[in-house]
Amino acid sequence: MTPTPDDCLTRNEWICGAYLSSRREILWDATLQHLQLTFVSVALGLLVAVPLAVAACGRRWAAGPVLGLTTILYTIPSLAMFSILLPVYGLSASLVIAGLVLYSLTLLVRNILAGLRAVPAETRQAARGMGYGPARQLLAVELPLALPAAMAGLRIATVSAVSLVTIGAIVGFGGLGNLIYSGMNTYFRAQVLTASVLCVLIAVAADIALLGVQRALTPWTRPSRRAAA
Amino acid sequence: MNTLAQTWDWLTSSANWSGQDGVWRRLGQHLYLTSVCLAISCAIALPVALVLGHLGRGGALAVNISNAGRAVPTFAVLVLLLLSPIGTWGDWPTIVALVLFAVPPLLTNAYVGMRGVDRDVVRAARGMGMTGPQTLLGVELPLAAPLVLTGLRTAAVQLVATATVAALAGGGGLGRVITAGFQLASTPQVVAGAVLVAALALLVEGVFVAAERYAPRWAGRPAA
């Protein structure tokens, strides 16, 4: 622990190349944990949100309770959410994931429901007239048409999840948040800034990637088709 | 459930409510932080959004700022500010971080609300000889009020919820009940703190919903 006097680590500078090269492993592990927590929770959220939204769209009486409940869940602060779930899951990654799933639910259910409701009645009738059963109508007609709104919700949910994962540091599973938390306690500036910047980069990259997925999945929303490749 | 019973005991024992670390003092800090931040955010976001919305410019900017705002973890901003020279200014790191967090929803909602005003109405106001500022304050703002209020509500509720994060960095507020509970390994206290914050957030939400419902007619509710 005796670096050269002219080392940016000893001078505790915000930007430090020596930090990047010497802690590459730690940064990599934290980034991986961050990505994992975000991905798993948003995927689980999506898995729960789609049936909920479909149910709320199909049966009018279900919409109020579903929307009300998910809104209340969103109101609970993240720090509090992780603590409320603590007795159930203990200090574990599942705790952070469970909290994040509950958060993404609100954003996803709202957007998917809005997308499903925007499907024109004529379109539904046309599908029925062509002999589509309820399941096929849902999968082949309604869900694809709800896709743009659903993807918008998915992008917001993902970006929010990336930033919320950092709070998971309070139970030791916060991905890059762990580095920010420990950097705060030791006044380690390079670590805090590097981890924060990585967080934002992950969020931006995820958003762009999802935008690409959206464009690939919804070719009909683009004004004109380019020459066939 | 045992934890719930213990939480109830914690919440109902008066010793936990008084004193330096008591709930009343933390609640006061929480409300102070939230309202100061909300006031500053409004002072920054609303004039910008209203003028941009009136001029019909900078829409992409407003929406992009809002989206980028979601990507920045409040906790990271808070810690960055703490380690910077601002860190020695008491409550200010927390206030700055929370203001940065509350500005995007206010900005976007107010801008969208202003743009949503029927152009014919604006033209009619112009035709009656109203100046730009008169149109903005007398016609567009009242009609945009419901969305501006929605933005205010979103910002207020999120502020109440997010102000807890300040406790992670040693700040005041109800979050301290939670972090103290963590350090004491006292699950009832952690849950009690969480319940208190959630209740406060829901209360604020309720107040705003009521305000919207009973708002005077100028607040843009169509007179049925």
Side-chain angles (χ1 to χ4, degrees):
Chain A
M1 253 306 278
T2 50
T4 53
D6 199 35
D7 194 338
C8 60
L9 280 175
T10 42
R11 276 185 278 121
N12 198 11
E13 284 178 5
W14 288 103
I15 301 167
C16 179
Y19 172 75
L20 285 179
S21 54
S22 62
R23 316 286 164 107
R24 197 182 299 142
E25 294 284 303
I26 300 175
L27 280 169
W28 184 241
D29 287 348
T31 309
L32 271 187
Q33 190 187 53
H34 209 104
L35 288 172
Q36 230 166 24
L37 288 169
T38 310
F39 180 79
V40 172
S41 41
V42 174
L44 281 177
L46 199 59
L47 217 60
V48 182
V50 172
L52 275 180
V54 168
C57 186
R59 294 159 200 70
R60 192 142 296 165
W61 56 265
V66 166
L67 282 180
L69 194 67
T70 50
T71 307
I72 290 179
L73 285 174
Y74 197 66
T75 318
I76 301 173
S78 46
L79 190 59
M81 180 78 95
F82 293 148
S83 352
I84 288 177
L85 294 171
L86 190 63
V88 187
Y89 291 97
L91 289 171
S92 68
S94 341
L95 169 70
V96 179
I97 290 176
L100 290 172
V101 167
L102 293 178
Y103 275 119
S104 53
L105 268 186
T106 313
L107 298 163
L108 291 171
V109 168
R110 257 174 203 286
N111 276 272
I112 300 173
L113 187 59
L116 285 174
R117 280 185 172 159
V119 176
E122 293 88 343
T123 313
R124 290 177 209 270
Q125 282 162 5
R128 203 169 309 150
M130 286 167 70
Y132 279 34
R136 196 167 164 214
Q137 185 184 333
L138 179 72
L139 290 176
V141 178
E142 290 171 313
L143 283 179
L145 284 177
L147 213 59
M151 287 299 292
L154 187 63
R155 283 171 62 195
I156 300 175
T158 308
V159 169
S160 309
V162 171
S163 89
L164 277 176
V165 166
T166 54
I167 312 290
I170 191 169
V171 292
F173 291 89
L176 293 161
N178 289 351
L179 297 184
I180 298 175
Y181 198 52
S182 65
M184 175 183 75
N185 291 328
T186 53
Y187 267 74
F188 194 169
R189 288 177 171 161
Q191 176 159 311
V192 172
L193 184 66
T194 312
S196 311
V197 169
L198 278 175
C199 259
V200 176
L201 286 182
I202 292 177
V204 172
D207 198 39
I208 293 174
L210 284 173
L211 186 66
V213 171
Q214 180 181 353
R215 285 176 64 89
L217 284 179
T218 57
W220 63 86
T221 55
R222 268 168 280 168
S224 68
R225 188 175 292 202
R226 304 268 162 81
Chain B
M1 231 175 101
N2 202 18
T3 315
L4 279 185
Q6 283 172 316
T7 305
W8 182 250
D9 286 344
W10 194 95
L11 280 174
T12 46
S13 97
S14 59
N16 293 323
W17 286 72
S18 55
Q20 276 293 299
D21 297 328
V23 172
W24 286 124
R25 182 157 169 273
R26 295 300 182 202
L27 184 67
Q29 288 174 332
H30 208 93
L31 288 174
Y32 165 76
L33 265 183
T34 316
S35 37
V36 167
C37 293
L38 193 63
I40 297 177
S41 317
C42 284
I44 295 172
L46 291 186
V48 174
L50 295 182
V51 169
L52 284 181
H54 175 71
L55 298 174
R57 296 211 187 106
L61 185 75
V63 173
N64 279 332
I65 287 179
S66 183
N67 287 340
R70 284 180 185 275
V72 182
T74 313
F75 177 49
V77 176
L78 182 56
V79 174
L80 283 174
L81 289 171
L82 267 181
L83 300 191
S84 73
I86 304 174
T88 50
W89 298 358
D91 276 342
W92 282 100
T94 315
I95 293 176
V96 173
L98 287 176
V99 164
L100 285 177
F101 174 79
V103 161
L106 281 168
L107 195 67
T108 317
N109 272 289
Y111 180 84
V112 171
M114 288 294 283
R115 294 313 295 160
V117 174
D118 194 341
R119 289 299 101 190
D120 289 342
V121 176
V122 177
R123 262 182 242 127
R126 279 290 155 86
M128 286 167 69
M130 287 175 105
T131 62
Q134 279 174 336
T135 321
L136 198 169
L137 292 175
V139 179
E140 289 176 296
L141 183 56
L143 288 174
L147 262 182
V148 176
L149 264 179
T150 305
L152 202 61
R153 185 178 93 193
T154 313
V157 173
Q158 289 187 348
L159 271 179
V160 169
T162 313
T164 39
V165 174
L168 273 184
L174 286 171
R176 281 297 276 274
V177 176
I178 299 174
T179 49
F182 255 98
Q183 278 150 18
L184 298 171
S186 154
T187 309
Q189 179 172 343
V190 169
V191 178
V195 169
L196 284 170
V197 181
L200 184 62
L202 288 175
L203 187 71
V204 170
E205 169 106 7
V207 167
F208 273 95
V209 170
E212 276 167 48
R213 178 159 301 169
Y214 297 109
R217 194 165 296 166
W218 57 260
R221 252 187 350 129

